[in-house]
Structures are given as structure tokens and as C-alpha cells.
Amino acid sequence: MSKQRWYAVIAILLTAALTLTACGPKKAEEVTKVRIGEVTRSIFYAPEYVAIAKGYFKEQGLEVDLTTTAGGDKTMTTLLSGGIDVALVGSETSIYVQQQGSGDPVINFAQLTQTDGTFLVARKPQTGAFDWNTLKGKTFLGQRKGGMPQMAGEFTLKKHGINPQKDLNLIQNVEFANIPTAFASGTGEYVQLFEPQATVIEKEGKGYVIASFGVESGKLPYTVFMAKKSFIDKNTNTIQKFTNAVQKAQNWVQTASVDEITDTITSFFQDTDKQIIKGVVKRYKDQGSFATDGIIDEQEWNNLQDVMEAAGELKQRADYKTLVNNQFAEKAKQTVK
């Protein structure tokens, strides 16, 4: 073979190699890890688990590390100390941080639930329409003082003309995790419970759900994804992707059936009977507890502070624009389908 033909063959081979390289697999997009701390593991947070189970975070190039940080105080402490990047917790905690004079405020950027998630459970079944005045003089097993469940509960009671401290024998010294057991063991005539404990107690015949504090207290930025302002400022792209994934899950939850939602989140509640999960999902979906988007509107924010004021837990009202950043949720609502 002549030298010229060798050169021609080499040229063809080099061209082919370059073409194959150009057409070959692209370098995988960089994956960003986000550490989430949720205040508790709850069916109330179904859209969060949907976003994980259906791969919506992964679609955005995010790898989420979800831990349950058990309690608002612990969740906020973990966030402030850098142990997590994003907290899923009640908005009131961001106000408490501001009241303590933090130089790096905690910003609410995507709402997940928009009502209180607790229910009034009675020891005995009710006949006819429920009258809140029947609670007067009774022993009421309430939630921890200063937390949103307790504040929403007291707000509702006051709305119905009941002074919790004067008109009830109010018990508030039982740990959150032990409240259902205490009631089942005979403490109190009425109790304020989250799901699925309320449904479990019903199925065991030890109590009866007679009212919803979520319906009674109105719309609130009850559980919200939040992060330190410094983290948001340095990671705006990550926060937008995160909010996009949440919005996609919210869209899906709005149109999905109770059965579909239940099937999607069951793996997060392996110790809970599937029929109980289904009943809880239906109860929350029916009363509109799952937020349809991440936007925290000013009316909801003001309602939250009204509830806190009524409970005596608000030193001064927190500025909406200082602690709420809706730019990510607004963009997600416009662009995510």
C-alpha cells in the first residue's frame, strides 16, 4: 500500500474516532445533594414522599437525604447548626428564630400543608351535631405549649367561646409521642390528635373523631420548606429545582386518586396498615390540607400570626417580606406541569 493510501486510511480512522466520540454518551449531569430534616414522619406530608417516590427530585438533578428530626425545636436547631440544608417544619419556628435576633434569618420558600392537621377525638360517640360548648368543664388532653397544633387548637376553642385555661381541665405536660397512648389508657375525656393516631384510636373503639381543627382554624402556612437566607443566597438554582420537584408532586396529588396516593407513599409507613393510610389520605385530601402550590400568601401569613397572638406566643408581628420568599414557588407554579 502506498504512503498516500496509508495517510488516507489513517485520516478516515481518525475522523471516524472523532465522530464516535462526539456521538458517544454525554457526561452525566452533576447531582446535587440536599439534606432535608422533617419535623415528624406523617401522612400529612404526603406530597413530600410523592416527590421522592416518583423521582421528581431526581429529575431535577437532586439527591435528597431525608431524616426525621423529631420536634420543631430540634429541627430548627439542626438547620441553624448546618446539620441539614432544608427543614420541613411549621412557619412559627422561623418567627421564633427572628424573635431571638438571628443575623441569618430562616426563610419560608415552599408551603406543603395549608391547614392544621389535628382532630378532636372524644371518649364517647356524639349523637347529633357537635356543640363545642360540651367541652366546658371537661378534661382535655392538649398538645405541647407553643407548637402550632396547640395554638391552632386554642384558637379554635376561643373562636367557639371557650377559654382553654379557665373552661377546661387542660393537660399539656404529656410528650407529643405519648399523647395517643395516654388517651387510650384513660387520660382525658377529649384529646387533640394527629393522624394516623386519630384513625387508629377510632378503629380500636377507644375514641371517636368529632371535629377537625384544620377546618376550624382556616388556612395557614402550617408546614413549610425553609432554609437559612445564607444557604438560599448561595444556592438559588438548587432551591428552584427543589421547589420545582415539590410543585410537580403537588400537581400530581391534586389529580391523583386516594388509592394512587396511598400506593405511592406506603413504603414510607411500613408499620402502618394500608387501609389506615388510605383513610388518612382521604381525610386530609377532602379537607384541603395539601397545598396546591408552594406560594405562601400574605393572608395565610397574617392568619398564622393571629393564631400565635391569641396563644400569647408572639412578641411582635413578623414582617411577611422578611421571612417569606415566594419567587421560587411562583416560578415553579408557572413552569411546572
Side-chain angles (χ1 to χ4, degrees):
M1 184 182 291
S2 67
K3 187 182 291 185
Q4 287 79 11
R5 290 191 67 183
W6 270 113
Y7 286 154
V9 170
I10 293 170
I12 291 169
L13 292 172
L14 286 172
T15 300
L18 288 170
T19 302
L20 287 171
T21 301
C23 296
K26 294 181 180 179
K27 185 180 179 181
E29 288 187 17
E30 188 175 336
V31 174
T32 302
K33 186 173 183 178
V34 179
R35 299 167 300 165
I36 308 172
E38 58 176 6
V39 65
T40 188
R41 176 59 52 90
S42 176
I43 300 167
F44 194 39
Y45 308 149
E48 174 191 35
Y49 310 126
V50 166
I52 296 170
K54 295 188 76 65
Y56 296 154
F57 286 116
K58 189 175 181 180
E59 287 176 2
Q60 293 289 327
L62 303 179
E63 177 190 341
V64 296
D65 178 12
L66 177 64
T67 57
T68 302
T69 39
D73 293 347
K74 185 177 179 181
T75 302
M76 192 53 62
T77 299
T78 307
L79 179 68
L80 294 175
S81 65
I84 54 175
D85 305 311
V86 173
L88 177 64
V89 66
S91 282
E92 79 282 358
T93 56
S94 67
I95 296 176
Y96 291 149
V97 169
Q98 187 196 44
Q99 289 180 344
Q100 292 169 2
S102 172
D104 189 4
V106 175
I107 306 300
N108 300 264
F109 68 86
Q111 181 170 316
L112 193 74
T113 63
Q114 60 185 7
T115 73
D116 178 78
T118 61
F119 297 86
L120 179 63
V121 179
R123 178 77 59 192
K124 299 176 182 179
Q126 304 294 299
T127 56
F130 172 63
D131 181 359
W132 286 86
N133 285 312
T134 59
L135 269 65
K136 289 184 176 180
K138 302 296 194 301
T139 300
F140 183 89
L141 183 53
Q143 294 284 324
R144 178 183 61 85
K145 192 176 185 305
M148 271 309 300
Q150 174 263 332
M151 290 190 286
E154 291 198 10
F155 182 80
T156 297
L157 293 169
K158 289 173 182 176
K159 186 178 80 170
H160 289 283
I162 299 170
N163 184 317
Q165 282 72 35
K166 293 181 179 180
D167 296 334
L168 306 174
N169 175 20
L170 183 62
I171 300 174
Q172 288 183 297
N173 60 353
V174 179
E175 287 291 328
F176 173 80
N178 297 329
I179 292 173
T181 304
F183 183 75
S185 300
T187 302
E189 296 163 273
Y190 295 88
V191 65
Q192 182 182 358
L193 288 179
F194 268 103
E195 291 286 16
Q197 288 82 11
T199 296
V200 169
I201 283 200
E202 271 193 317
K203 287 189 175 297
E204 292 176 347
K206 296 178 179 178
Y208 304 85
V209 174
I210 57 174
S212 164
F213 287 104
V215 170
E216 293 290 336
S217 58
K219 287 191 175 181
L220 304 163
Y222 198 83
T223 324
V224 178
F225 288 109
M226 57 186 74
K228 291 190 291 186
K229 185 177 184 298
S230 58
F231 181 84
I232 294 175
D233 290 344
K234 293 175 184 176
N235 300 277
T236 55
N237 192 40
T238 297
I239 294 293
Q240 187 61 66
K241 290 178 177 180
F242 187 98
T243 310
N244 291 346
V246 173
Q247 181 65 65
K248 190 166 183 178
Q250 290 172 322
N251 291 347
W252 186 84
V253 166
Q254 288 305 305
T255 59
S257 68
V258 170
D259 283 332
E260 289 172 323
I261 298 170
T262 300
D263 288 342
T264 302
I265 69 171
T266 295
S267 63
F268 293 88
F269 303 95
Q270 295 183 1
D271 295 331
T272 305
D273 182 86
K274 189 173 181 179
Q275 288 305 308
I276 289 178
I277 298 173
K278 181 179 176 179
V280 174
V281 168
K282 185 179 188 307
R283 186 167 272 165
Y284 282 137
K285 191 173 170 66
D286 286 348
Q287 71 177 32
S289 289
F290 305 132
T292 58
D293 57 60
I295 297 171
I296 304 159
D297 67 51
E298 194 162 5
Q299 183 177 347
E300 290 177 340
W301 183 258
N302 289 334
N303 192 29
L304 168 76
Q305 296 194 88
D306 289 343
V307 169
M308 295 178 70
E309 264 184 346
E313 297 292 342
L314 190 65
K315 293 179 182 177
Q316 61 181 29
R317 294 182 80 87
D319 180 55
Y320 171 71
K321 293 181 180 178
T322 300
L323 296 184
V324 175
N325 184 343
N326 279 325
Q327 72 176 81
F328 306 103
E330 288 170 349
K331 185 175 180 180
K333 184 177 181 179
Q334 292 171 0
T335 60
V336 175
K337 303 302 179 185

